[in-house]
Amino acid sequence: MTVGVLGALGWLGTVWAHRRGRRWTWPLAVTLLVLGTALAVTNLTITEYGGQLVPTWLGVVGLAPSIAGLVAVVLLRRERNA
């Protein structure tokens, strides 16, 4: 839960910075995307005593925010180039 709250705060901060016209918005969004995706992939692959620690279905559901983050980064990149 803590990771989810921190992720939401990070994305809300990114939206706030983008609306203010900050130049560091895109690097922040990419950083959040990479960190979130790395955590989601870790949840999919982590094992303990020969068994998966997180059920596969829950790990796949954990990748959904990364997909949304990828869409956000692509949109920010398009706007940055425009």
Side-chain angles (χ1 to χ4, degrees), residues 52-70:
Q52 272 191 292
L53 194 59
V54 177
T56 303
W57 69 270
L58 192 56
V60 171
V61 169
L63 283 172
S66 295
I67 295 167
L70 179 62

Side-chain angles (χ1 to χ4, degrees), residues 40-79:
V41 170
T42 300
N43 282 337
L44 272 172
T45 60
I46 194 167
T47 60
E48 184 176 62
Y49 303 114
Q52 272 191 292
L53 194 59
V54 177
T56 303
W57 69 270
L58 192 56
V60 171
V61 169
L63 283 172
S66 295
I67 295 167
L70 179 62
V71 170
V73 167
V74 168
L75 291 174
L76 279 172
R77 182 67 174 177
R78 281 186 185 172
E79 188 173 311

Side-chain angles (χ1 to χ4, degrees), residues 1-60:
M1 184 168 141
T2 303
V3 173
V5 170
L6 290 174
L9 288 174
W11 284 110
L12 288 173
T14 304
V15 169
W16 174 82
H18 179 68
R19 287 188 177 182
R20 297 278 184 179
R22 304 291 190 235
R23 292 178 163 231
W24 44 266
T25 303
W26 192 75
L28 175 62
V30 170
T31 302
L32 289 174
L33 175 64
V34 168
L35 290 174
T37 303
L39 182 63
V41 170
T42 300
N43 282 337
L44 272 172
T45 60
I46 194 167
T47 60
E48 184 176 62
Y49 303 114
Q52 272 191 292
L53 194 59
V54 177
T56 303
W57 69 270
L58 192 56
V60 171

